[in-house]
């Protein structure tokens, strides 16, 4: 819903008073004195004097939502989401008080960008429907329009604007002059052409086909705005940045459009049917309509087919654009950095052509820096760092989650005008696991919807059965009321020959002349086919539903999935098992081989599987195992051999075996067993394997890990906790973490998303926060701080005063590491602390007041005073003490005898001098020493600890570093060397 449409539903008489209530009354003057007046000082619900509380803001947001939903016409979102929408809108309005800008800056920013800032502060909750999210975004922007209007009417605004203009005018003029000098102005011919080209691109790519809706009398194409479903991406590395210039987190999920908006060079990976091409269309249409960049949509399969890859001047001709640009226009666009170059389908060109494609791309990048580049590919087409040196960051299209699948199903049935099938299909997707596993991308979702409607609510199970049903549906469709002259069997025969030719060539499209030649060779054996090859091919293109003509003189399949399926069918029919095996190492043939096993007769299956095993590699052994699900009838001996050989690999018994297994790729995930019958070591191995593949196939990996969430083994549970960062934070928290037995588990939170998930989980007693988190934010995220007994804060420069930790009233174990600004340890005296670790913090003043400690470790910070009794808690019942190098530079070990309860002592020293003035310490039973290896230092240490029974020496590695060398110094103790 566009803001203007929403504005038609909401009267200004409602929005105007709402905005006025949110802000304080005007102040006099132009703000020339003192600090600038920020929004946080303008809003009436911030500061010490609150005139409008959160409750009132919520009431205003609720009224706005209610007015929009009660107005005439269709509801903008489902009724059961009204509370969630109101809550989110409230948080967005409250976020005004957190923005570090003044009213002049806000007006300059514009309503769209101001709304984007508010959306970042309060994103919609996970699971909210796409319609509700769209309403929220529209309502936020509509509110921002009124907010900016309110600012422009304030008495101080005009004066402040004039002052601001005076201050910045000279700088602005200089920048404009520099820009004009650097960027040549487009001529009138260029401008006139772009006025024709941009609308052409917007219209050319503004339609897509939704699978199944093009049946019978339904339209062929649907407007992109109606059919487009916003998908999410995960960042494979931090080189991709958001629109504010900040690196995307390696594990977070973001809307694809938002993530791509900030990346100037992006390699986008996605499985077949994941929506890569549709996303390219959406970006092209959006850029063309906004006119901020000039888009070029370049399908690589088309560019490769035409011979040498085109120079920029030939971009439009290479994609059959009927418009003729002025001479040198593309060069001028790219030189000015105004281009958006969308290269689609790297995986759809042969591997041999990819190297010259990269060389071509490198030359373009060198010649035309500053443009935006997007390249799409299947995940395994090229290695992970294929374009890293060229500055390309990698994004992966994430599988559709359940809310996205539900949104797709609703939109599909609305577009197909078949509402009676929507509810039953959603129920089936929730209850039938095999079906839900297939519905992970727009292709399969559309196919399932179409099959469900065509078969009046019946759906087959299994991949082969689903494809068989889909082929039958597509091959028997009618085009404008006309029946095809070709029977289903004839169509299949011809299509599989075309598919096999493409599979063999490693391509996904062929020239029409080549396709006609293949058809012509088949015609003598196809009795029911009438006419010449051109007529038969034309009939296939018009009526099969599987073959299409994307450009003049070119044919391809509607999707690579059907090409592989039919190619496998032909290979088996021709008896080309040796050809299949010869390509088994090529990941592009993986699905072809699996489908070939499904099509083959029992004896052929046995031959094919034995040849896969003969290669004796983990990947092909696992591929053979994956093929078993398609082999209903198979020699029992072959089945047993495959299972036995794969049984050595699956399940993995050690972490190292798990890592080796993960190298075989995502294929492994569907072969990993559940916990039943596994040893604890095997269960850990399975979870390690699934964790390592979590970034490549998060949905499938999560399905594996979900099965182990009730496992009692501590190692398994620690693995499940430790892999949180590889998955969507909220989904993993609800599906796995919240179901774990928390005994002896420490939960680590690194990102803000992970921290926010704590509010939606059962309380965790042991928590670790890595990175810059405000303690106030941590407290706000926890449902009950009194439940926390262990807290670790690491690499946190936002912790300045330990007084904030007083909120954790039950805290017994505290670990502060790399918190360089942390001070005020005396505030911790009221807590029941028994264990404290301090490493590289700002100041240890106040440590002496912590009298309940039984375990203490201090490293990386110098203790004040001349003896340990000057800084450590004198009357604390210490039992374990660790003093790191540098911490006792001023105190030495003087006064150590004060803590007679210490049984375990760990020291990181630099010389034997540290033992000066230290008497015998007979109460120490376990000793760890680091930094002293010479006989003088060891003899001095042995003399001070006569009753020690266990000694660990941390020494430099070398041939002499053995326990026997040092045993003589501690004759009554067990000596270990680390």
């Amino acid at each position: 819903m566009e803001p203007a449409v929403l504005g038609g539903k909401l009267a200004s008489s409602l929005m105007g008073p709402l905005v006025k209530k949110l802000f304080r009354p005007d102040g006099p003057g132009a703000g020339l004195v003192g600090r600038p007046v920020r929004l946080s000082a303008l809003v009436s619900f911030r500061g010490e004097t609150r005139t409008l509380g959160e409750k009132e803001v919520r009431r205003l947001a609720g009224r706005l939502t209610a007015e929009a939903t009660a107005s005439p016409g269709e509801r903008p979102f489902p009724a059961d989401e009204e509370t969630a929408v109101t809550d989110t809108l409230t948080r967005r309005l409250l976020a005004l008080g957190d923005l570090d800008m003044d009213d002049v800056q806000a007006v300059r920013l514009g309503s769209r960008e101001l709304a984007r800032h508010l959306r970042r502060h309060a994103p919609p909750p996970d699971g909210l429907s796409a319609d509700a999210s769209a309403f929220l975004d529209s309502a936020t922007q509509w509110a921002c329009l009124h907010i900016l209007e309110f600012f422009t009417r304030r008495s101080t605004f005009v004066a402040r604007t004039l002052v601001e203009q005076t201050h910045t005018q000279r700088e602005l003029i200089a920048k404009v002059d520099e820009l004009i000098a650097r960027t040549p102005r487009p001529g009138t011919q260029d401008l006139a052409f772009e006025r024709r080209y941009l609308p052409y691109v917007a219209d050319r790519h503004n339609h897509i086909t939704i699978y199944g809706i093009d049946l019978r009398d339904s339209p062929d194409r649907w407007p992109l705005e109606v059919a487009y479903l916003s998908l999410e991406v995960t960042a494979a590395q931090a080189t991709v940045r958001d629109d504010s210039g900040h690196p995307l987190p390696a594990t977070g999920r973001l809307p694809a459009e938002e993530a791509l908006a900030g990346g100037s060079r992006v390699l986008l990976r996605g499985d077949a049917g994941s929506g890569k091409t549709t996303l390219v269309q959406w970006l092209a249409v959006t850029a063309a309509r906004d006119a901020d960049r000039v888009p070029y949509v370049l399908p690589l399969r088309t560019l490769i087919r035409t011979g040498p890859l085109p120079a920029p001047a030939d971009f439009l001709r290479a994609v059959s654009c009927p418009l003729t640009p002025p001479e040198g226009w593309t060069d001028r666009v790219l030189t000015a950095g105004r281009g958006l170059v969308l290269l689609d389908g790297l995986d759809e060109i042969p591997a041999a052509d990819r190297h010259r494609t990269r060389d071509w791309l490198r030359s373009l990048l060198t010649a035309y820096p500053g443009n935006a580049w997007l390249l799409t590919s299947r995940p395994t087409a090229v290695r992970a760092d294929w374009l890293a040196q060229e500055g390309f960051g990698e994004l992966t299209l994430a599988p559709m989650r359940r809310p996205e699948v539900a949104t797709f199903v609703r939109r599909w049935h609305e577009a197909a005008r078949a509402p009676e099938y929507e509810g039953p299909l959603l129920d089936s997707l929730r209850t039938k696991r095999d079906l839900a596993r297939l519905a992970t991308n727009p292709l399969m979702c559309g196919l399932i919807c179409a099959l469900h409607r065509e078969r009046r609510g019946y759906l087959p199970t299994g991949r082969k059965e689903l494809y068989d049903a889909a082929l039958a549906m597509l091959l028997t469709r009618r085009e404008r009321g006309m029946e095809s002259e070709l029977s289903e069997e004839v169509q299949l025969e011809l299509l599989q020959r075309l598919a096999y030719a493409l599979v063999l060539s490693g391509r996904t499209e062929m020239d029409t002349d080549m396709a006609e030649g293949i058809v012509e060779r088949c015609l003598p054996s196809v009795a029911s086919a009438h006419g010449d090859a051109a007529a038969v091919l034309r009939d296939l293109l018009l009526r099969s539903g599987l073959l299409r003509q994307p450009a003049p003189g070119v044919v391809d399949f509607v999707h690579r999935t059907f090409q592989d399926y039919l190619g496998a069918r032909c290979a088996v029919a021709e008896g080309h098992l040796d050809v299949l095996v010869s390509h088994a190492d090529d990941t592009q043939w993986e699905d072809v081989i699996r489908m070939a096993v499904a099509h083959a007769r029992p004896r052929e299956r046995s031959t094919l599987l034995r040849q896969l095993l003969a290669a004796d590699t983990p990947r092909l052994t696992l591929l053979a195992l994956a093929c078993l699900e398609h082999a209903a009838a198979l020699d029992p001996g072959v089945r047993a051999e495959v299972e036995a050989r794969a049984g050595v690999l699956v399940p993995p018994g050690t972490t190292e075996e798990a890592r080796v297994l993960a190298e075989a790729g995502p294929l492994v995930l569907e072969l990993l067993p559940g916990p039943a019958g596994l040893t604890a070591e095997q269960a850990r191995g399975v979870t390690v394997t699934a964790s390592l593949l979590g970034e490549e196939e998060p949905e499938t990996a999560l399905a594996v890990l979900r099965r182990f969430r009730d496992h009692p083994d501590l190692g398994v549970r620690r693995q499940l906790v430790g892999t949180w960062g590889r998955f969507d934070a909220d989904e993993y928290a609800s599906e796995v973490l919240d179901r774990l037995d928390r005994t002896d588990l420490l939960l680590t939170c690194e990102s803000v998303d992970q921290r926010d998930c704590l509010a939606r989980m059962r309380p965790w007693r042991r928590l670790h926060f890595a990175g810059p988190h405000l303690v106030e934010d941590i407290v706000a995220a926890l449902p009950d701080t009194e439940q926390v007994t262990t807290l670790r804060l690491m690499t946190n420069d936002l912790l300045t005063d330990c007084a904030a930790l007083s909120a954790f009233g039950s805290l017994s174990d505290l670990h502060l590491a790399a918190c360089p600004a942390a001070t005020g340890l005396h505030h911790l005296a009221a807590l029941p602390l028994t264990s404290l670790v301090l490493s590289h913090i700002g100041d240890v003043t106040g440590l002496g007041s912590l009298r309940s400690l039984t375990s203490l470790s201090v490293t990386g910070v110098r203790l004040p005073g001349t003896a340990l009794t000057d800084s450590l808690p004198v009357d604390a019942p210490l039992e374990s003490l660790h003093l790191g190098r540098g911490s006792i530079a001023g105190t030495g070990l003087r006064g150590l005898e004060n803590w007679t309860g210490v049984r375990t002592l760990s020291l990181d020293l630099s010389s034997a001098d540290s033992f000066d003035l230290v008497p015998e310490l007979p109460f120490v039973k376990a000793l760890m020493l680091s930094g002293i290896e010479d006989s003088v230092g060891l003899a001095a240490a042995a003399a001070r600890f006569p009753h020690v029974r266990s000694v660990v020496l941390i020494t430099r590695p070398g041939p002499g570093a053995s326990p026997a060398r040092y045993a003589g110094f501690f004759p009554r103790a067990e000596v270990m060397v680390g």
Side-chain angles (χ1 to χ4, degrees):
M1 180 180 294
E2 291 295 324
V5 177
L6 179 64
K9 289 177 171 282
L10 297 175
S12 295
S13 59
L14 168 66
M15 186 63 76
L18 184 151
V19 169
K20 289 182 179 179
K21 288 184 178 181
L22 294 179
F23 294 89
R24 295 183 178 182
D26 291 358
L32 297 176
V33 182
R35 301 175 63 184
V37 180
R38 300 293 174 182
L39 293 190
S40 58
L42 294 176
V43 294
S44 61
F45 45 83
R46 286 289 186 267
E48 297 179 1
T49 326
R50 294 171 179 256
T51 60
L52 186 65
E54 181 176 345
K55 185 182 298 182
E56 288 79 7
V57 176
R58 186 179 302 278
R59 187 180 304 118
L60 292 172
R63 184 180 172 194
L64 189 153
T65 304
E67 288 280 344
T69 56
S71 60
E74 182 185 358
R75 287 187 61 88
F77 56 88
D80 59 357
E81 295 183 304
E82 187 165 337
T83 300
V85 169
T86 300
D87 290 343
T88 305
L89 184 56
T90 300
R91 292 196 301 272
R92 288 183 179 179
L93 292 175
L94 290 171
L96 284 165
D98 298 324
L99 297 183
D100 187 23
M101 65 179 73
D102 57 33
D103 51 356
V104 175
Q105 293 168 335
V107 172
R108 183 186 304 149
L109 195 65
S111 62
R112 186 186 298 271
E113 287 299 317
L114 181 60
R116 181 175 295 182
H117 278 280
L118 297 183
R119 287 198 298 271
R120 281 207 200 96
H121 279 74
D126 191 33
L128 204 63
S129 70
D131 292 333
S133 296
F135 170 83
L136 268 170
D137 292 345
S138 298
T140 303
Q141 188 171 340
W142 184 244
C144 288
L145 284 170
H146 279 268
I147 288 169
L148 298 186
E149 171 67 15
F150 171 79
F151 284 161
T152 60
R153 295 183 181 184
R154 298 177 70 242
S155 63
T156 59
F157 178 81
V158 173
R160 286 185 52 74
T161 302
L162 292 175
V163 172
E164 186 76 14
Q165 288 175 347
T166 301
H167 289 168
T168 60
Q169 188 176 36
R170 182 176 300 173
E171 180 183 355
L172 180 59
I173 291 173
K175 288 183 178 179
V176 171
D177 289 341
E178 181 183 354
L179 182 62
I180 291 174
R182 215 162 21 95
T183 306
R185 296 179 61 188
T188 56
Q189 287 186 329
D190 288 3
L191 292 174
F193 176 74
E194 288 179 21
R195 291 192 187 102
R196 297 176 59 208
Y197 174 71
L198 294 179
Y200 165 79
V201 171
D203 183 69
R204 169 71 177 80
H205 297 286
N206 191 36
H207 296 85
I208 63 174
T209 296
I210 306 178
Y211 280 91
I213 296 184
D214 60 337
L215 298 174
R216 294 197 175 99
D217 298 325
S218 298
D220 283 345
R221 301 188 303 167
W222 292 80
L224 198 59
E225 296 95 331
V226 174
Y228 181 69
L229 177 70
S230 178
L231 300 176
E232 293 183 318
V233 296
T234 58
Q237 50 186 299
T239 56
V240 181
R241 298 175 179 272
D242 64 18
D243 53 4
S244 297
H246 299 97
L248 295 178
T251 58
R253 290 171 67 121
L254 282 175
E257 306 87 344
E258 181 179 337
L260 293 169
S264 60
R265 297 180 181 183
V266 174
L267 172 59
L268 178 69
R269 298 179 187 263
D271 289 321
S274 60
K276 301 185 296 296
T277 299
T278 304
L279 179 58
V280 165
Q281 290 181 241
W282 180 262
L283 293 172
V285 170
T286 302
R289 288 179 174 173
D290 293 345
D292 53 351
R293 285 188 181 272
V294 178
Y296 300 91
V297 180
L298 305 175
L300 284 173
R301 59 184 179 183
T302 301
L303 303 186
I304 289 292
R305 178 183 55 80
T306 57
L309 290 162
D314 298 321
F315 277 180
L316 302 193
R317 183 176 55 81
V319 295
S320 302
C321 176
L323 303 179
T324 302
E327 184 175 355
W329 169 74
T330 305
D331 178 76
R332 289 189 291 275
V333 169
L334 297 180
T335 299
R338 296 194 298 126
L340 171 62
V341 186
L342 303 166
L343 302 165
D344 189 29
L346 177 65
D347 57 288
E348 296 180 1
I349 62 176
D353 290 325
R354 293 173 193 165
H355 295 291
R356 69 182 178 101
T357 300
R358 181 169 56 180
D359 292 340
W360 169 74
L361 180 57
R362 282 172 173 166
S363 66
L364 290 176
L365 293 169
T366 302
Y368 301 105
N371 296 280
W373 305 79
L374 172 68
L375 177 64
T376 72
S377 172
R378 280 192 183 187
T380 57
V382 292
R383 66 177 187 271
D385 59 347
W386 197 68
L387 284 172
Q389 291 184 349
E390 288 72 32
F392 274 73
E394 291 198 10
L395 294 173
T396 300
L397 274 173
M400 293 167 64
R401 293 187 285 187
R402 279 170 290 184
E404 293 161 347
V405 171
T407 298
F408 184 98
V409 171
R410 284 196 295 269
R411 290 185 180 178
W412 190 99
H413 286 86
E414 180 182 352
R417 301 180 182 90
E420 66 275 17
Y421 294 109
E422 177 186 323
L425 179 56
L426 288 173
D427 290 339
S428 296
L429 287 168
R430 282 190 289 265
T431 57
K432 296 182 179 179
R433 180 183 171 193
D434 290 340
L435 184 64
R437 288 175 61 186
L438 291 174
T440 58
N441 60 54
L443 166 70
M444 294 309 300
C445 284
L447 198 58
I448 289 169
C449 290
L451 284 172
H452 188 258
R453 186 188 71 168
E454 281 292 294
R455 299 193 164 209
R456 299 185 181 278
Y458 165 77
L459 279 171
T461 58
R463 184 192 292 190
K464 180 180 181 299
E465 291 76 11
L466 183 63
Y467 291 163
D468 285 339
L471 288 171
M473 179 188 70
L474 294 172
L475 291 174
T476 57
R477 75 177 187 169
R478 305 292 182 262
E479 182 72 21
R480 299 183 182 179
M482 298 173 58
E483 284 198 18
S484 171
E485 297 180 358
L486 303 175
S487 68
E488 181 179 340
E489 283 300 319
V490 170
Q491 290 184 71
L492 275 175
E493 179 66 25
L494 296 173
L495 289 168
Q496 71 182 29
R497 295 291 181 93
L498 293 169
Y500 191 39
L502 287 170
V503 168
L504 287 173
S505 67
R507 299 178 182 271
T508 58
E509 65 178 24
M510 65 174 64
D511 293 337
T512 302
D513 293 341
M514 181 180 294
E516 289 178 358
I518 294 172
V519 171
E520 186 173 11
R521 288 191 293 274
C522 294
L523 288 181
S525 61
V526 181
S528 62
H530 303 289
D532 59 14
V536 172
L537 180 62
R538 186 163 54 252
D539 194 56
L540 284 175
L541 287 166
L542 287 174
R543 299 177 176 88
S544 73
L546 287 168
L547 207 62
R548 66 177 184 176
Q549 194 166 25
V554 182
V555 295
D556 69 354
F557 283 85
V558 293
H559 204 276
R560 176 70 175 269
T561 299
F562 296 116
Q563 174 185 307
D564 291 348
Y565 178 83
L566 290 168
R569 192 175 189 266
C570 185
V572 171
E574 295 293 325
H576 290 176
L577 301 185
D578 55 338
V579 175
L580 294 170
V581 173
S582 68
H583 289 87
D585 281 324
D586 188 342
T587 56
Q588 291 196 66
W589 282 68
E590 195 171 276
D591 281 343
V592 178
I593 292 173
R594 294 174 71 174
M595 288 296 98
V597 170
H599 288 298
R601 292 175 287 273
R603 182 175 296 178
E604 294 168 330
R605 289 171 179 161
S606 298
T607 300
L608 184 54
L609 293 175
R610 282 197 177 104
Q611 288 180 309
L612 291 176
L613 293 178
D616 197 25
T617 65
R619 184 182 168 276
L620 294 191
T621 299
L622 294 172
L623 178 57
L625 181 62
C627 290
L628 291 185
E629 71 168 296
H630 307 294
L634 181 66
D635 182 338
V638 175
R639 184 182 295 275
E641 184 180 358
V642 171
E643 291 175 343
R645 293 277 294 278
V648 178
L649 302 171
V650 181
T654 65
T655 299
E656 184 56 35
E657 290 177 3
R659 295 184 184 279
V660 172
L661 185 60
E663 291 175 358
L667 166 71
V668 171
L669 290 169
E670 60 188 85
L671 306 176
L672 294 175
L678 299 184
T679 65
E681 291 76 14
Q682 290 172 331
R684 284 197 293 274
V686 170
T687 55
V688 169
T689 302
S691 298
L692 292 173
L693 294 169
E695 292 180 349
E696 293 184 65
E697 291 285 343
E699 198 74 18
T700 311
L702 179 59
V704 174
L705 297 175
R706 189 186 294 118
R707 301 199 295 262
F708 290 83
R709 61 192 180 189
D710 297 321
H711 202 283
D713 181 71
L714 179 60
V716 172
R717 292 185 288 119
R718 283 178 173 167
Q719 178 62 35
L720 293 177
V721 167
T723 195
W724 189 10
R726 291 187 171 98
F727 298 87
D728 173 75
D730 194 62
E731 184 177 20
Y732 194 83
S734 61
E735 295 290 333
V736 177
L737 296 179
D738 205 29
R739 301 286 295 272
L740 292 176
D741 174 5
R742 285 142 160 73
T743 305
D744 296 326
L745 286 185
L746 178 73
L747 181 66
T748 298
C749 296
E750 295 178 314
S751 67
V752 174
D753 288 342
Q754 289 178 335
R755 187 186 70 209
D756 292 343
C757 288
L758 295 174
R760 297 183 287 277
M761 287 192 283
R762 293 181 293 113
W764 285 80
R765 300 183 68 82
R766 306 180 73 230
L767 290 168
H768 172 201
F769 292 90
H773 297 268
L774 286 171
V775 176
E776 292 79 4
D777 291 338
I778 295 174
V779 171
L782 295 175
D784 184 5
T785 55
E786 292 295 326
Q787 295 283 339
V788 179
T789 59
T790 297
L791 181 64
R792 296 185 181 180
L793 303 179
M794 301 183 68
T795 320
N796 190 342
D797 55 6
L798 298 182
L799 177 63
T800 57
D801 191 346
C802 291
L805 299 174
S806 301
F808 299 92
S810 302
L811 195 63
S812 59
D813 183 356
L814 177 62
H815 188 147
L816 304 178
C819 300
T823 61
L825 292 180
H826 64 279
H827 293 295
L828 305 177
L831 300 179
L833 285 179
T834 57
S835 177
L836 178 64
V837 176
L838 303 173
S839 177
H840 297 87
I841 71 168
D843 184 13
V844 293
T845 302
L847 177 59
S849 63
L850 308 184
R851 298 180 176 87
S852 58
L853 295 178
T854 59
S855 176
L856 175 63
S857 172
V858 182
T859 61
V861 56
R862 179 168 177 154
L863 294 171
T866 58
L868 294 176
T869 49
D870 294 335
S871 53
L872 302 188
V874 176
D875 48 357
L878 291 178
E879 299 173 1
S880 174
L881 179 62
H882 172 72
L883 298 172
R885 181 173 299 187
S887 63
I888 56 173
T891 65
L893 296 177
R894 293 180 291 276
L896 184 58
E897 66 276 10
N898 179 77
W899 292 276
T900 58
V902 172
R903 297 293 179 266
T904 301
L905 182 63
S906 175
L907 301 172
D908 187 359
L909 307 173
S910 57
S911 69
D913 297 340
S914 300
F915 293 106
D916 291 349
L917 307 179
V918 178
E920 281 191 3
L921 303 174
F923 44 83
V924 175
K925 305 301 182 185
L927 179 65
M928 177 181 289
L929 286 177
S930 177
I932 294 182
E933 300 180 42
D934 60 279
S935 57
V936 175
L938 291 173
R944 300 308 192 276
F945 307 105
H947 296 163
V948 70
R949 293 292 178 265
S950 172
V951 177
V952 176
L953 299 175
I954 308 299
T955 66
R956 291 186 298 271
S962 65
R965 175 184 175 186
Y966 305 108
F969 293 101
F970 304 94
R972 299 181 180 179
E974 178 185 2
V975 179
M976 293 174 286
V977 177

